[in-house]
Amino acid sequence: MKSRIALLTFSLFVQTAAHAQPAVAAEVFADTESLLPPAGDWSGKSESLVVPANDPWITPAERMQLAATPDYAETVAWLQKLVRAAPELEMVSIGRSLEGRDIWMVVASADGAFTAEAMRKTGKPLLLAHSGIHAGEIDGKDAGLMLLRDMTVAAKRKPLLEGANFLFIPVLNVDGHERRSAYNRINQRGPLEMGWRTNARNQNLNRDFTKLDTAEVRALVRVFRQWQPDLYLDLHVTDGADYQYDITFGGNGRDGWSPAIGNWIEDVYRPAVNEALLANGHQPGGLIFAANNMDMQDGVLTWKADPRFSNGYGDAIHLPAVLVENHSLKPYRRRVLGTYVLLAESMALLAREQASLQAATNSDRQSRPQSVPLVFARDESQAVKMVPFKAVGSERYHGAASGGEVVRWTGQPLTITIPEIFVNKPVVTAQMPAAYIIPPAWGDVAGRIGLHGIEIEQITEPLTTQAEIYRLPEAGIAQPTAWTPNPFEGHARIDPGEPVRQLIETTFPQGSYRISTDQPLGELLVLMLEPQAPDSFLQWGFFLEIFTRTEYAEAYVMEPLARKMLDDDPALRTRFEEKLANDPAFAASPQQRLMWFYEQTPFYDAQYLVYPVARIPRQQK
Ligand SMILES: [Zn+2]
């Protein structure tokens, strides 16, 4: 057996050598960190959170000076030991990954309330945080382990757990976490080895919150539904530009689908967390996206996340959700300690501000807006707002390898004033219908909608009613229905153009799904079913079948029928002759000419390009 393996290895090597470019010496890649912009010196009060080397409850990452992170097995083993020792903790598996790993969640309650129901009875607010939705961005895991210890066996932060309950998922993308390497995130300064962004099937979990393809996000959405957290934190690490801020975070803005929650995050959460981070030597900032995708010269964008993202989904379902992005160029130790401070302050703040947060959440859950913004764009009419920004120096140079302009970050801290550009103007809006109807043939879509906790009713008899239907633009004519060239997240994304809405009498078969918008997740429903919503099931390619025409007319019958139509209808003849004169490609194509006639007969497929999901207008409740 051994020799066969050796032979196989050898032949693979020969094949690779024959097809690949000559290998670059491994030493070239041994110290890519030295190519990163300078990290600068840092020390802060949060360093005192690290326990001494002889502490019996030292975490695996602390044992490695917060320069490395433990693998799945070591993480889970350490947590199991902690849970056995701490009466305040339990651990539950919320689901399994494609490779069969449990996705663990630590349930922390000072009252020993380890079920959702028992937890609600404590009357205390509930914080849910997870790390590793992108498994290479794992700071939150090692911070959470330290905090769980300090709130329990170490007894240093017990009051935090007296004031609020805590659910902690150390790693959501458990399979990606085990694709460990020193070469996974070239722009990130540590840990030494880290996991991979996507799951075992190369799916990006943080694009999956509406379509719910993945076991991991389905498990998380079950946690939202079952445990009903008051605040949800999704812990990441950035890619992109350099600046002084080490911990950046935010919700989905003030003017999204949950405006009261958006204001609470900006006016209550942000100042408190900023203060805690500053007091511990950190440099907090808002979520930062360079307008030119390169440096800060053209300002920063504050964009609205679509509901495929965790923070956009939170906004759509009225779950207070904060996206945390630690700065990838800051050393791992500094990022982990900053995350600890943010988690601890979130617990403390929840205890203090439970009433104000619940008031904001209830206000958004109870609102029933008349219309829902689907797409936001930059408001060009708004005066540009200039804001101070803690930048680091940068210069641009011509790259000999790229042949283009490249940024070099100098590491020099400087405060500059730059434009803050808001991408918050609704440019496509949908009127809220009373309900949507999905025919039974598309039950898979209704099933996914049900996973979100949206109430669905199945009609037991055929229903004839006035309904609004969307007809999509004919491919190749008027506004072409454009297909994105590459698959995205395992789907063929489609651009529906500008569909035409018509009110017609329609009969829906028995077994159709009627989904009222008059429920707390009404906005999410609109965002999943309106054709022009970027995260609609239509745009995600769940209705690809409607783009195929399936009946045909043979020329031997269409030719005589077309001549008969021309003879009987002078207006049709005029239109035909105009088209022949103005459209040479049409005139030259026998198929196109006969198709033109076919489309105007009752034989033509009336369902072709009709979006099967119908709207019941509001006045017909
Ligand atoms: Zn991320």
Side-chain angles (χ1 to χ4, degrees), residues 134 137 197 236-237 325:
H134 295 148
E137 308 167 17
R197 183 179 189 80
H236 289 249
V237 179
E325 293 276 1

Side-chain angles (χ1 to χ4, degrees), residues 36 45 273 322 370 469 514 596:
L36 295 178
K45 197 178 149 202
V273 173
V322 173
Q370 300 279 314
I469 58 144
R514 186 183 188 283
W596 188 83

